[in-house]
Amino acid sequence: TVEQIGWRLTTIRSFDKRPIYVPNSMFASISVENPSRMSHRRIKETIGIRYDDAEKMPGILKTVESMLRAHPEIDDGQTLMVNFNAFADSSLDFFIYCLTHTTVWTKYHEIKQDVLLKTSEIIERNGASIAFPTRTLHMASEPQLAGLIPSGELEET
């Protein structure tokens, strides 16, 4: 927030309430972002589902996009995308890209929370799960392990 414009410097208050003093000569050589002039705020999120749920991805994408297009706080006249994006280490990732009608920071986060919760519900309704980092360990067959692990310990480990 710009607090004061003086002859020699401008006083700005950051989001964490620290004062920033900028010499006016700097404004000729820097770009200035003015959030109060924004027309929208962007939601850009990546969400991963389990590899076991790969066949459910098309239905999830379609339903999430429909939810966003029907959402009263999302501007469906702007760029709106829900697309499969990557084969990640522990998930099949898709992204949500859309713009809210509001520019108010607090309301934006309420809308984003609503979108994420509804997306989670859609994933569950489709019988899928949101992925989390996992590792799969493939063990060699028992005959190959003979002699490597003492008898009786294979079942316990």
Side-chain angles (χ1 to χ4, degrees):
T1 303
V2 175
E3 290 190 337
Q4 182 181 4
I5 300 174
W7 288 103
R8 297 184 64 174
L9 64 95
T10 298
T11 305
I12 300 171
R13 184 73 56 179
S14 68
F15 281 119
D16 61 355
K17 303 301 181 195
R18 290 181 295 155
I20 301 170
Y21 304 100
V22 182
N24 289 339
S25 62
M26 297 260 324
F27 285 107
S29 62
I30 64 170
S31 63
V32 177
E33 183 178 298
N34 186 349
S36 67
R37 296 270 180 132
M38 293 171 62
S39 62
H40 299 78
R41 282 197 184 267
R42 178 181 68 177
I43 296 175
K44 181 182 175 191
E45 290 294 322
T46 299
I47 300 165
I49 64 170
R50 299 175 315 147
Y51 272 89
D52 290 345
D53 299 326
E55 72 282 353
K56 298 167 186 164
M57 180 69 84
I60 291 168
L61 297 177
K62 183 178 178 183
T63 309
V64 170
E65 183 174 346
S66 296
M67 177 271 295
L68 291 171
R69 292 203 181 278
H71 198 292
E73 298 295 338
I74 301 298
D75 188 347
D76 68 338
Q78 300 293 321
T79 302
L80 190 154
M81 296 186 295
V82 180
N83 293 101
F84 176 50
N85 194 43
F87 293 100
D89 289 340
S90 300
S91 62
L92 298 170
D93 290 350
F94 69 94
F95 71 92
I96 293 172
Y97 183 99
C98 59
L99 297 162
T100 64
H101 288 293
T102 189
T103 61
V104 177
W105 182 248
T106 53
K107 185 169 182 176
Y108 160 78
H109 281 287
E110 291 170 7
I111 296 165
K112 182 177 173 182
Q113 172 180 280
D114 185 54
V115 165
L116 292 175
L117 290 172
K118 285 180 178 175
T119 300
S120 176
E121 290 171 8
I122 289 167
I123 291 169
E124 287 181 30
R125 275 198 320 263
N126 277 273
S129 297
I130 295 173
F132 55 89
T134 58
R135 298 269 182 216
T136 302
L137 179 63
H138 294 277
M139 300 287 291
S141 62
E142 271 190 63
Q144 293 173 341
L145 293 176
L148 297 176
I149 299 175
S151 178
E153 287 188 27
L154 186 60
E155 289 76 29
E156 295 175 17
T157 56

